C-alpha cells in the first residue's frame, strides 16, 4: 500500500495522468524456475482429442500455471528481470515500483501487482515507446487512463 501511495504522490507532484494496463494470462507468460511435474486427468481426453497423448501421463512444466504455488514468484521474477534489463531501477522501499530515466528530463515510472500495472511518463512519446517495447515481449492490454 505504501508503494501505491508513493506512486500516486509522484503522479500528482508532476501533474501526470496515470495509465493502466492488464497482462493477459499472466502466469503463462513466466518460465518456471525449478522442476515441476503434473499429471493431467485422462478424463479430459474426450474433450481434447488432438492432445489425447498428453493426458494420463506425467508432464514437466516449462511455463507457470495457475494454482502452482510458485507461479506468482515466477511471474514477478520474469517481469522484474525484463524491466531491469531495459534499464529500469527498482525501488528499495517497494519492489514493485520501477523508474527509468532517459536523459535528464525524460522518465517513466510504473508499479505492478500480479497482472495489473499503472504507469506514467514525462511525456506521451516515452509512454508510447514503453508500450511498444512491452508489447514486443508480453501479452498486455493497454487500457488508457486509470479508472
Amino acid at each position: 500500500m505504501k508503494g501505491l501511495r508513493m506512486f500516486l504522490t509522484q503522479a500528482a507532484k508532476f501533474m501526470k495522468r496515470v495509465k493502466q494496463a492488464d497482462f493477459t494470462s499472466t502466469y503463462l507468460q513466466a518460465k518456471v524456475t525449478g522442476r515441476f511435474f503434473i499429471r493431467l486427468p485422462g478424463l479430459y481426453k474426450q474433450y481434447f482429442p488432438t492432445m489425447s497423448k498428453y493426458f494420463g501421463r506425467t508432464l514437466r512444466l516449462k511455463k507457470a500455471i495457475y494454482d502452482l504455488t510458485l507461479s506468482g514468484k515466477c511471474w514477478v521474477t520474469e517481469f522484474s528481470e525484463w524491466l531491469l534489463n531495459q534499464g529500469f531501477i527498482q525501488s528499495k522501499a517497494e519492489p514493485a515500483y520501477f523508474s527509468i530515466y532517459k536523459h535528464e528530463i525524460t522518465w517513466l515510472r510504473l508499479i505492478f501487482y500480479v497482472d495489473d500495472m499503472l504507469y506514467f511518463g514525462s511525456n506521451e512519446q516515452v509512454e508510447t515507446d514503453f508500450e511498444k517495447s512491452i508489447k514486443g515481449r508480453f501479452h498486455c492490454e493497454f487500457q488508457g487512463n486509470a479508472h
Side-chain angles (χ1 to χ4, degrees):
M1 195 62 157
K2 286 181 184 179
L4 182 58
R5 265 190 236 130
M6 184 170 57
F7 176 81
L8 294 174
T9 300
Q10 290 295 309
K13 176 183 174 183
F14 293 109
M15 295 185 284
K16 297 294 180 182
R17 289 189 183 266
V18 175
K19 294 186 177 180
Q20 70 181 33
D22 185 54
F23 291 95
T24 310
S25 304
T26 307
Y27 292 161
L28 300 177
Q29 297 187 58
K31 294 180 183 121
V32 173
T33 53
R35 294 170 55 109
F36 292 94
F37 297 90
I38 61 167
R39 183 183 301 259
L40 300 174
L43 169 72
Y44 293 108
K45 284 182 185 180
Q46 64 187 357
Y47 302 111
F48 304 98
T50 58
M51 299 187 163
S52 63
K53 66 181 180 180
Y54 298 109
F55 293 95
R57 297 177 53 197
T58 303
L59 304 170
R60 182 177 177 199
L61 293 178
K62 291 184 178 181
K63 296 281 188 171
I65 60 172
Y66 290 86
D67 284 342
L68 181 65
T69 307
L70 293 175
S71 291
K73 183 175 183 190
C74 293
W75 163 247
V76 168
T77 301
E78 182 94 11
F79 188 55
S80 296
E81 285 178 0
W82 182 83
L83 289 170
L84 293 170
N85 288 334
Q86 298 298 309
F88 279 83
I89 301 165
Q90 187 173 25
S91 168
K92 292 179 182 174
E94 173 57 59
Y97 184 69
F98 290 82
S99 302
I100 188 168
Y101 299 91
K102 297 180 180 181
H103 314 296
E104 291 183 18
I105 58 169
T106 307
W107 47 264
L108 184 124
R109 296 177 181 175
L110 72 86
I111 191 166
F112 74 96
Y113 182 74
V114 188
D115 65 343
D116 297 311
M117 178 176 63
L118 298 173
Y119 64 98
F120 65 92
S122 57
N123 60 51
E124 285 197 36
Q125 185 61 48
V126 75
E127 292 174 351
T128 303
D129 292 345
F130 170 69
E131 291 168 3
K132 285 180 186 175
S133 69
I134 212 164
K135 279 183 184 177
R137 172 59 183 85
F138 299 101
H139 299 286
C140 187
E141 180 184 338
F142 293 95
Q143 300 171 331
N145 293 333
H147 51 278

